Amino acid sequence: MHRIVRWVAILGVGVAGLLVVAALVIWFGFVPAAQQPSYQQVASWGGPGSAAGQFDGPNGIAVADHRVYVADSLNHRIQIFDLQGHFLSIIAVGPQGLLPQARPMNLNIAGDKLYVGDYWNDAVQVFTLDGYLLRTLGGQQGAAPGQFRAPGGASAEPDGTIVVADFYNQRVQMLSPQGRFIRQIGTTGHKGYVAGGSFNYPMDVAVSTSDGHFYVADGYNDRIQEFDAQGRFLRMWGGPFGLHLPASINFLGGLRGWFRTPTSVTIGPRGDVFVADQENNRIQKFTADGRFLTAFSQPPQAPGYGVGAVAVAADGSVYVTDLADQRVEVWKPAKRP
Amino acid sequence: MSSNLRHRVLNMPRIAFASALLGLAMAFVAVFPAQAATSAATAQQAWPADAYVVHVDGLACPFCAYGIEKQFSHLPGVTTTDVNLASGVVVVHVKPGTRFDQAQINKTVQQAGFTLKDVVSQPTGGR
């Protein structure tokens, strides 16, 4: 009897020791300290509804040319504001606008064009910054090259190559400016959990204007992947080595530098990468090569997930959509104490 | 007297066999309540309803909600779909006379990338 008790005790101490070692390795090896001060919220606007300036599912945001574009998904429109939140105009469903029943998701601006992922119509639409429709790509659900299945976001490289997060097809497509298929990353319809270049519901893309590198919000793999302008995998991050560890989904995903469903990614004026870390209700900021810089958040007043999407203005102000409170928030770097 | 009668009844082979089956079923429901509900639903081939209340595993974000809403919108007879992310409940409203069976709903949920836990039909107004 004593021998059994002793072995159980030894086993318990051994397991506890392993857990402590694992915790120390994770904490010191994979939980980076903040390198920059946090941000503070300085303004917000919006609220639930369908009137001008109100939102129902603000799932995307982009900023350029002193204007803020918000994908108002369930109102089937994109609203345009000035940087202070004053309503300017709207891109609505119509012959020169969005497709019927449009469900615009992530928005991205590249050059002088606005790229819209229309989740409902399986299309990518390209607009001028004044809201004039230039081109509609796709529009019929499918898995063939150049077709989409619920694209979550799209953007373009400096040479015009369009990059699309093709959500249900588990791939990223690269298309010519006219929509001709060039190549894809990932295996159509097959989720990949570990290897770089494989996806588990890619939700958004962000393209660097300096070198054409692009970043993919690999949503349910809880990581960001970076590729060069030709689509070659460079690196990934979000937990140890960016590998999708089951334990990271709900248990460890809240650690600094880790994610729980990154839904939106964008690049700031200095090349830093900002990620909307939805289930953690926070924005995380990284260097271009994935080193953690800082994070910031504020819980929504209404129940549900707050953070939806993120964009950064030329002056470094960060614009965030709050899905629970149906509004847009403006954040600026906090002053050092 | 009553104890003696109970003893004789329980010793009848058919009664004993039925009791054992009932015990097994109760144990199954206690251990696997979701599967039991799904099995019960499967037994009904196609139910007329005003709405189907679908419980789903894995709903997490608006992408999920819109995906499952979009997938149900492709089924003939569906009018609207309400998704509650927090509870993982999808309420599929249908036109009068619409009938879905378990397999159709299961396939739709799977095509949207999720796992069906169970389905409950809300009866039509006239019933």
Side-chain angles (χ1 to χ4, degrees), chain A residues 208-260:
Chain A
S208 167
T209 53
S210 60
D211 53 15
H213 287 195
F214 60 88
Y215 301 84
V216 179
D218 188 7
Y220 296 152
N221 274 340
D222 303 315
R223 66 188 180 189
I224 298 295
Q225 296 195 50
E226 181 186 355
F227 300 86
D228 70 11
Q230 284 69 48
R232 288 185 288 257
F233 172 77
L234 295 176
R235 61 177 63 83
M236 57 188 177
W237 70 87
F241 310 109
L243 302 174
H244 178 62
L245 303 177
S248 76
I249 296 172
N250 293 314
F251 177 51
L252 296 172
L255 297 172
R256 288 189 300 270
W258 300 42
F259 304 107
R260 285 193 184 117

Side-chain angles (χ1 to χ4, degrees), chain A residues 88-153:
Chain A
L88 297 176
S89 61
I90 213 165
I91 304 174
V93 169
Q96 279 302 321
L98 295 162
L99 295 168
Q101 299 184 24
R103 196 70 64 92
M105 299 299 278
N106 279 303
L107 306 180
N108 289 288
I109 290 170
D112 57 356
K113 297 182 182 66
L114 172 69
Y115 293 82
V116 181
D118 182 349
Y119 193 93
W120 197 268
N121 292 300
D122 306 295
V124 170
Q125 290 194 288
V126 187
F127 293 90
T128 67
L129 296 186
D130 292 325
Y132 180 79
L133 177 65
L134 295 172
R135 190 170 294 115
T136 297
L137 309 177
Q140 186 176 6
Q141 181 173 295
Q147 291 186 319
F148 311 114
R149 201 171 160 217

Side-chain angles (χ1 to χ4, degrees), chain B:
Chain B
M1 178 68 181
S2 62
S3 173
N4 190 33
L5 178 63
R6 189 179 65 192
H7 181 75
R8 286 165 62 186
V9 167
L10 288 177
N11 273 332
M12 292 171 68
R14 287 181 183 172
I15 297 291
F17 182 67
S19 300
L21 277 182
L22 182 62
L24 280 173
M26 290 172 69
F28 182 79
V29 169
V31 177
F32 304 109
Q35 286 85 341
T38 306
S39 302
T42 308
Q44 307 173 42
Q45 288 307 307
W47 337 265
D50 283 334
Y52 295 86
V53 181
V54 183
H55 291 80
V56 174
D57 262 343
L59 279 178
C61 67
F63 285 77
C64 308
Y66 299 167
I68 205 159
E69 179 190 354
K70 184 179 172 185
Q71 208 63 44
F72 272 109
S73 77
H74 295 157
L75 290 181
V78 170
T79 53
T80 56
T81 303
D82 300 323
V83 182
N84 187 321
L85 282 178
S87 61
V89 174
V90 181
V91 181
V92 184
H93 301 275
V94 298
K95 291 176 185 169
T98 303
R99 288 168 178 261
F100 292 137
D101 61 19
Q102 172 85 8
Q104 278 175 293
I105 290 174
N106 191 35
K107 183 180 174 188
T108 305
V109 170
Q110 284 187 346
Q111 284 174 336
F114 303 100
T115 305
L116 176 68
K117 284 169 71 179
D118 66 74
V119 188
V120 179
S121 59
Q122 287 185 347
T124 54
R127 294 174 52 178

Side-chain angles (χ1 to χ4, degrees), chain A:
Chain A
M1 185 65 183
H2 283 292
R3 181 176 292 177
I4 293 174
V5 170
R6 196 174 71 183
W7 277 108
V8 168
I10 290 171
L11 189 65
V13 169
V15 169
L18 281 174
L19 288 174
V20 168
V21 169
L24 289 172
V25 168
I26 288 172
W27 186 257
F28 289 104
F30 300 104
V31 184
Q35 302 296 312
Q36 291 184 353
S38 187
Y39 282 59
Q40 61 188 12
Q41 189 181 318
V42 296
S44 68
W45 73 82
S50 58
Q54 296 178 327
F55 305 108
D56 189 359
N59 279 291
I61 192 165
V63 181
D65 197 22
H66 306 294
R67 284 182 279 191
V68 181
Y69 301 76
V70 182
D72 190 10
S73 302
L74 294 171
N75 284 326
H76 316 293
R77 65 187 182 184
I78 293 167
Q79 297 195 62
I80 306 174
F81 303 86
D82 67 16
L83 294 180
Q84 286 70 47
H86 301 115
F87 174 80
L88 297 176
S89 61
I90 213 165
I91 304 174
V93 169
Q96 279 302 321
L98 295 162
L99 295 168
Q101 299 184 24
R103 196 70 64 92
M105 299 299 278
N106 279 303
L107 306 180
N108 289 288
I109 290 170
D112 57 356
K113 297 182 182 66
L114 172 69
Y115 293 82
V116 181
D118 182 349
Y119 193 93
W120 197 268
N121 292 300
D122 306 295
V124 170
Q125 290 194 288
V126 187
F127 293 90
T128 67
L129 296 186
D130 292 325
Y132 180 79
L133 177 65
L134 295 172
R135 190 170 294 115
T136 297
L137 309 177
Q140 186 176 6
Q141 181 173 295
Q147 291 186 319
F148 311 114
R149 201 171 160 217
S155 190
E157 296 184 343
D159 69 355
T161 300
I162 298 170
V163 186
V164 183
D166 193 3
F167 182 78
Y168 269 110
N169 280 331
Q170 313 293 354
R171 65 186 179 185
V172 169
Q173 290 198 67
M174 300 177 71
L175 310 169
S176 74
Q178 293 72 37
R180 185 175 50 79
F181 177 81
I182 299 173
R183 68 177 65 89
Q184 73 174 55
I185 308 162
T187 306
T188 304
H190 292 279
K191 298 177 213 169
Y193 304 100
V194 178
S198 64
F199 304 102
N200 186 4
Y201 296 103
M203 296 181 173
D204 193 20
V205 294
V207 180
S208 167
T209 53
S210 60
D211 53 15
H213 287 195
F214 60 88
Y215 301 84
V216 179
D218 188 7
Y220 296 152
N221 274 340
D222 303 315
R223 66 188 180 189
I224 298 295
Q225 296 195 50
E226 181 186 355
F227 300 86
D228 70 11
Q230 284 69 48
R232 288 185 288 257
F233 172 77
L234 295 176
R235 61 177 63 83
M236 57 188 177
W237 70 87
F241 310 109
L243 302 174
H244 178 62
L245 303 177
S248 76
I249 296 172
N250 293 314
F251 177 51
L252 296 172
L255 297 172
R256 288 189 300 270
W258 300 42
F259 304 107
R260 285 193 184 117
T261 315
T263 49
S264 167
V265 59
T266 194
I267 299 171
R270 295 183 179 177
D272 297 327
V273 179
F274 293 75
V275 182
D277 185 9
Q278 186 165 88
E279 289 188 50
N280 285 322
N281 188 48
R282 66 184 176 187
I283 301 299
Q284 295 202 73
K285 180 182 179 184
F286 301 85
T287 62
D289 57 359
R291 282 184 294 117
F292 176 77
L293 292 175
T294 191
F296 51 96
S297 65
Q298 177 175 294
Q301 292 169 356
Y305 297 132
V307 163
V310 60
V312 186
D315 71 349
S317 300
V318 179
Y319 291 74
V320 180
T321 62
D322 178 343
L323 291 166
D325 294 330
Q326 308 285 351
R327 64 181 187 173
V328 173
E329 300 169 351
V330 188
W331 295 72
K332 288 181 183 291
K335 292 185 176 69
R336 290 181 187 274

